[in-house]
Amino acid sequence: MIDVIVAGGGPTGLMLAAELRLHGVEVLVLDKAPEPTKVVRSLGLHVRSIELMDQRGLLDRFLAEGTRYEVGGFFAGIDAPWPDRMDTAHGYVLGIPQTVTERLLAEHATELGAEIRRGCELVGLSQDEDGVSVELTESGDTRLRARYLVGCDGGRSTVRKLLGVGFPGEPSRVETLLAEVELTTPPEELAAVVAEVRKTQKRFGAMPLGDGVYRLVAPADGVAEDRMVPPTLDELRRQVRALAGTDFGAHSARWLSRFGDATRLADRYRTGRVLLAGDAAHVHPPTGGQGLNLGLQDAFNLGWKLAAQISGWAPDGLLDSYQTERRPVAADVLDNTRAQMELMSTEPGPRAVRRLLAELMDFEEVNRYLIEKITAVGVRYDFGAGHELLGRRLRDVALKRGRLYGSMHDGRGLLLDQTGRLSVAGWADRIDHVVDVSEELDVPAALLRPDGHVAWVGDDQRDLRGVLPTWFGPADA
């Protein structure tokens, strides 16, 4: 029996597979597509996702393939500077195509021992007290058995539908066309026309990718009955001409796609031994570039908890805390994307509200608050009353003998002890004890979960021992 089957080989599924493998969990990733997609739906990583890569020792790989941008304008495209004093060591957005992110995560997962099987579609499932059986449409094995199944198979998730999990929300009201095409219009002329159109239509743009190729975005004329059917180049040209008066000589499309603004949230993230993550659990407009990042952060939260359950040391309720913590985060993202879509409307009322919000974003506190919301820096899980750090992720801080995130590559818990008087005896197989000091951290000690969120702050050994079982189970005998 396999420990975990992950349905879906996109960024969420690959990140989850790697997190599970860090703890020795056997993982099989199934993806119905015969090869990775060439469609670039996401263009970058936000701060919290960059931190995840740093926590696992992957950031250098991503920096080598991407470009750092310290730019604002993420909230509804409102032009605002990158905020000062953000609580992070990585105050930038990393521009990197989704295709590259998927490749790097696939390499990481396979290096750790995960198996990725493509061209293999899950079409049926059943579960009992001991595990989950899945039915496949592939040559060879058509039925597999696992202890757990995680559906990371996108907004049209087969796993979610087979479970009968409700997916309430709103259907798409508008649709946007997206493509990578070659353009013949000179860059200066193109930039001027795009800037003029974007004064009123924020869902329009042309981003240079090099060698005359551009990422072209334009509103569609209505909502397609089946968005899985890509638009034609003629359809894209027609929509671009309607807004810009020219189609910029668009030709030689590498790919074309469409996306809507449907907004939905799964009723529950867990049904017995089957869980949902990423777009299988939530869909929303791509405004602010949060979708891929939200899925990665789901996987980062779930991975160590599911591994603990399989390894037998998970305390009661740990696996269920995945939904308790992550579903409210997704609900907040759905709300902010709804707000952003309204602010991008061409109607007079929303445009007036947009102008007012743009004025408010001139206040540093407002600008920082909204960008921290978009980048997930402001996420705080409810761990109860306590220190202001409790429930928040701790940014990478410089230590006397290194960096905090440099000690987190193995995906274990971590006690950063500036007193040198504390101990994790009994939990040393699950928690690393780092005795070091930082001028950037004004607490005697902090206990971090494997996902980097602060579970305890203090200097009392008895108090610490009272908290450890809550997150890391009983001490070894």
Side-chain angles (χ1 to χ4, degrees):
M1 182 186 293
I2 302 165
D3 286 333
V4 179
I5 291 176
V6 176
T12 301
L14 294 170
M15 189 77 190
L16 177 61
E19 288 296 291
L20 291 167
R21 284 302 304 153
L22 283 175
H23 299 276
V25 174
E26 182 186 7
V27 184
L28 171 62
V29 179
L30 305 176
D31 196 276
K32 66 180 180 181
E35 60 184 21
T37 181
K38 297 179 181 179
V39 177
V40 182
R41 291 191 176 275
S42 170
L43 291 174
L45 299 181
H46 282 312
V47 174
R48 183 56 187 143
S49 296
I50 294 168
E51 291 181 341
L52 306 189
M53 302 310 169
D54 197 9
Q55 285 177 233
R56 295 299 182 257
L58 300 174
L59 186 55
D60 285 346
R61 301 188 193 188
F62 280 80
L63 292 177
E65 301 268 7
T67 304
R68 302 187 200 193
Y69 297 102
E70 292 185 15
V71 294
F74 288 104
F75 197 86
I78 295 174
D79 188 19
W82 186 260
D84 293 330
R85 304 189 308 278
M86 281 189 69
D87 181 33
T88 181
H90 299 288
Y92 54 89
V93 174
L94 184 64
I96 186 169
Q98 179 175 333
T99 50
V100 178
T101 294
E102 288 191 14
R103 172 172 58 80
L104 293 176
L105 289 175
E107 291 172 358
H108 176 53
T110 54
E111 286 169 6
L112 291 173
E115 179 185 353
I116 302 172
R117 194 179 300 177
R118 299 193 180 276
C120 178
E121 183 177 4
L122 185 152
V123 294
L125 69 86
S126 61
Q127 61 175 312
D128 52 41
E129 293 182 357
D130 299 318
V132 185
S133 297
V134 301
E135 299 176 17
L136 313 174
T137 58
E138 66 165 347
S139 58
D141 293 334
T142 57
R143 192 174 180 86
L144 295 174
R145 181 84 170 156
R147 298 175 69 180
Y148 287 88
L149 167 68
V150 185
C152 303
D153 50 343
R156 298 170 180 259
S157 171
T158 298
V159 172
R160 187 189 66 244
K161 293 174 182 176
L162 290 171
L163 284 174
V165 173
F167 204 40
E170 307 90 51
S172 290
R173 298 175 302 167
V174 297
E175 188 172 274
T176 304
L177 307 182
L178 177 68
E180 284 188 7
V181 297
E182 294 183 30
L183 304 180
T184 59
T185 299
E188 297 80 5
E189 180 183 341
L190 174 67
V193 174
V194 170
E196 185 63 28
V197 175
R198 282 185 58 81
K199 288 180 180 178
T200 54
Q201 179 50 264
K202 302 300 179 182
R203 292 165 46 226
F204 183 87
M207 176 182 294
L209 303 176
D211 298 325
V213 178
Y214 286 78
R215 180 181 173 94
L216 194 57
V217 185
D221 182 16
V223 177
E225 292 185 7
D226 185 359
R227 286 195 305 279
M228 298 299 289
V229 178
T232 64
L233 181 57
D234 284 342
E235 182 181 353
L236 176 65
R237 284 172 174 160
R238 184 168 61 251
Q239 292 306 110
V240 172
R241 280 197 302 270
L243 287 168
T246 173
D247 61 13
F248 304 123
H251 66 97
S252 304
R254 292 181 177 179
W255 53 261
L256 298 106
S257 183
R258 65 176 85 236
F259 61 85
D261 66 337
T263 306
R264 300 183 182 276
L265 179 62
D267 284 336
R268 59 186 183 276
Y269 282 20
R270 180 187 179 190
T271 303
R273 290 178 172 268
V274 185
L275 300 104
L276 302 173
D279 287 353
H282 40 70
V283 295
H284 55 85
T287 314
Q290 299 169 88
L292 180 149
N293 292 273
L294 183 61
L296 292 178
Q297 292 151 31
D298 283 348
F300 212 65
N301 183 285
L302 175 59
W304 69 279
K305 296 175 180 178
L306 184 53
Q309 188 77 18
I310 290 170
S311 299
W313 60 259
D316 290 343
L318 181 66
L319 188 55
D320 286 331
S321 74
Y322 163 61
Q323 172 176 306
T324 303
E325 293 175 359
R326 293 304 299 171
R327 195 170 182 276
V329 173
D332 184 71
V333 171
L334 265 61
D335 278 347
N336 84 56
T337 55
R338 286 184 179 107
Q340 290 183 76
M341 288 300 293
E342 291 297 323
L343 291 168
M344 296 175 75
S345 168
T346 57
E347 294 296 317
R351 290 176 65 185
V353 177
R354 179 187 179 87
R355 289 191 293 271
L356 176 61
L357 183 60
E359 293 177 9
L360 292 175
M361 288 181 71
D362 287 339
F363 293 97
E364 174 67 21
E365 294 81 1
V366 175
N367 186 27
R368 185 169 62 251
Y369 174 81
L370 291 174
I371 297 302
E372 288 185 352
K373 181 182 287 289
I374 292 286
T375 60
V377 170
V379 170
R380 182 180 189 179
Y381 300 138
D382 184 6
F383 293 175
H387 193 277
E388 62 179 9
L389 287 177
L390 195 65
R392 297 188 182 277
R393 100 283 180 259
L394 186 60
R395 67 181 175 87
D396 189 26
V397 297
L399 306 174
K400 186 176 181 180
R401 293 187 294 273
R403 296 186 304 119
L404 175 64
Y405 284 6
S407 300
M408 303 185 72
H409 294 177
D410 293 334
R412 291 152 50 93
L414 184 144
L415 175 65
L416 177 56
D417 179 7
Q418 300 197 89
T419 72
R421 300 190 304 270
L422 300 173
S423 170
V424 292
W427 290 271
D429 60 329
R430 285 154 269 173
I431 304 171
D432 294 320
H433 185 191
V434 176
V435 179
D436 207 338
V437 295
S438 173
E439 295 181 357
E440 302 175 35
L441 189 62
D442 188 24
V443 295
L447 175 67
L448 307 185
R449 306 189 317 182
D451 59 1
H453 283 257
V454 178
W456 174 82
V457 171
D459 60 1
D460 184 272
Q461 181 65 42
R462 287 178 298 178
D463 188 31
L464 173 61
R465 288 187 65 85
V467 170
L468 286 169
T470 301
W471 300 109
F472 297 99
D476 290 338

